[in-house]
C-alpha cells in the first residue's frame, strides 16, 4: 500500500517474483496486492510480467480503507530505495507495525527503518534493488506467514499520545 515513483520502483520485486515462478518456488495461491499511485514506468512493470495473474493492482484508496486492507492482508511489503534511503522513515512503516503483520521490507539494511523493524521482531529485510536477496527473503517471508511462526505486538512509543508524553517528559526535564 503506497506509491511508486522516481527510484521507488516495483521492478526488482517483480523480477524476483518472475525468477521464483521460473524456479517453481512461488506458489500459485500467492496473490500480491498493490494499492496506490503509480508512475507510468511502475504501472508498466506491474502490468507486463510473468506474474500478472498473481497481481492485483488497485488505485489509491482513502486512509481508513488502506488501514483496513493492511489488517486483512497476510503480510505487508515495504519499499524504500537504497540511494539516500538510510534516514527515511515513512509513515507507512509505523502503520505497518501497528497492524502486527509480517513485513517484507525492501529497504536499506543499515538504515533507520531497518533498525526499528529489527527492534520489533521483523527480520525479513533486504535491499529493494537486490533481486537475489528479495527471492531469498520472500521465500522466508512466505514460510513465516504460512506457519504463523512470528507473533507481533503493537510497539510502545509510537502512538501520538505516547510521542506527546515523551516530548512533555523531555521538556519538563529541561525546565528543572
Amino acid at each position: 500500500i503506497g506509491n511508486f515513483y522516481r527510484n521507488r520502483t516495483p521492478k526488482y520485486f517483480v523480477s524476483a517474483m518472475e525468477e521464483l515462478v521460473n524456479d517453481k518456488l512461488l506458489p500459485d495461491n500467492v496473490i500480491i496486492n498493490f494499492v496506490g499511485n503509480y508512475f507510468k514506468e511502475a504501472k508498466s512493470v506491474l502490468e507486463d510480467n510473468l506474474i500478472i495473474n498473481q497481481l492485483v493492482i488497485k488505485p489509491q484508496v482513502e486512509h481508513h480503507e488502506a488501514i483496513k486492507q493492511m489488517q486483512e492482508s497476510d503480510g505487508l511489503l515495504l519499499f524504500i530505495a537504497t540511494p539516500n534511503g538510510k534516514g527515511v522513515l515513512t509513515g507507512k512503516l509505523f502503520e505497518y507495525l501497528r497492524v502486527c503483520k509480517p513485513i517484507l521490507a525492501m529497504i536499506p539494511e543499515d538504515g533507520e527503518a531497518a533498525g526499528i523493524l529489527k527492534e520489533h521482531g521483523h527480520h525479513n529485510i533486504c535491499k529493494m534493488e537486490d533481486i537475489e536477496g528479495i527471492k531469498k527473503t520472500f521465500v522466508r517471508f512466505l514460510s513465516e506467514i504460512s506457519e504463523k511462526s512470528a507473533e507481533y505486538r503493537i510497539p510502545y512509543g509510537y502512538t501520538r499520545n505516547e510521542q506527546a508524553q515523551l516530548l512533555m517528559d523531555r521538556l519538563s526535564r529541561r525546565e528543572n
Side-chain angles (χ1 to χ4, degrees):
I1 296 177
N3 302 319
F4 286 118
Y5 52 87
R6 290 188 304 261
N7 60 350
R8 184 183 298 167
T9 173
K11 72 180 178 182
Y12 306 104
F13 176 78
V14 168
S15 292
M17 296 305 101
E18 289 176 323
E19 288 186 22
L20 288 175
V21 165
N22 288 334
D23 296 340
K24 300 192 183 341
L25 294 173
L26 184 64
D28 292 337
N29 65 343
V30 170
I31 302 297
I32 302 163
N33 290 296
F34 287 101
V35 179
N37 290 317
Y38 318 98
F39 271 34
K40 181 180 177 184
E41 295 81 11
K43 193 161 180 88
S44 176
V45 167
L46 292 173
E47 293 177 343
D48 184 23
N49 57 64
L50 295 176
I51 61 165
I52 190 66
N53 292 331
Q54 291 180 266
L55 294 180
V56 176
I57 304 160
K58 300 176 186 175
Q60 185 174 2
V61 296
E62 291 186 22
H63 188 257
H64 72 275
E65 179 61 26
I67 298 296
K68 179 181 174 198
Q69 290 188 26
M70 287 178 211
Q71 292 169 329
E72 292 172 353
S73 297
D74 293 321
L76 304 164
L77 303 175
L78 180 64
F79 295 82
I80 298 174
T82 301
N84 303 316
K86 284 177 99 172
V88 173
L89 290 176
T90 66
K92 186 85 45 235
L93 168 71
F94 299 100
E95 291 172 342
Y96 279 14
L97 287 171
R98 173 67 176 92
V99 296
C100 301
K101 301 284 183 165
I103 300 168
L104 169 56
M106 292 163 279
I107 63 178
E109 296 170 296
D110 58 347
E112 296 286 331
I116 290 171
L117 286 169
K118 290 174 187 173
E119 180 181 328
H120 294 94
H122 296 274
H123 298 284
N124 293 314
I125 299 170
C126 59
K127 290 182 183 173
M128 187 190 79
E129 304 82 3
D130 178 6
I131 293 170
E132 287 302 314
I134 294 169
K135 287 169 49 180
K136 178 180 151 193
T137 308
F138 191 80
V139 168
R140 186 174 63 232
F141 178 64
L142 287 180
S143 175
E144 181 178 308
I145 290 170
S146 67
E147 295 172 8
K148 299 185 185 328
S149 59
E151 189 172 311
Y152 303 105
R153 60 189 179 336
I154 299 170
Y156 175 78
Y158 294 123
T159 68
R160 285 188 178 142
N161 288 343
E162 292 162 345
Q163 288 289 300
Q165 186 60 51
L166 290 170
L167 177 60
M168 292 298 297
D169 293 347
R170 286 183 183 170
L171 291 174
S172 68
R173 281 191 295 239
R174 285 187 176 167
E175 292 176 358
N176 294 334

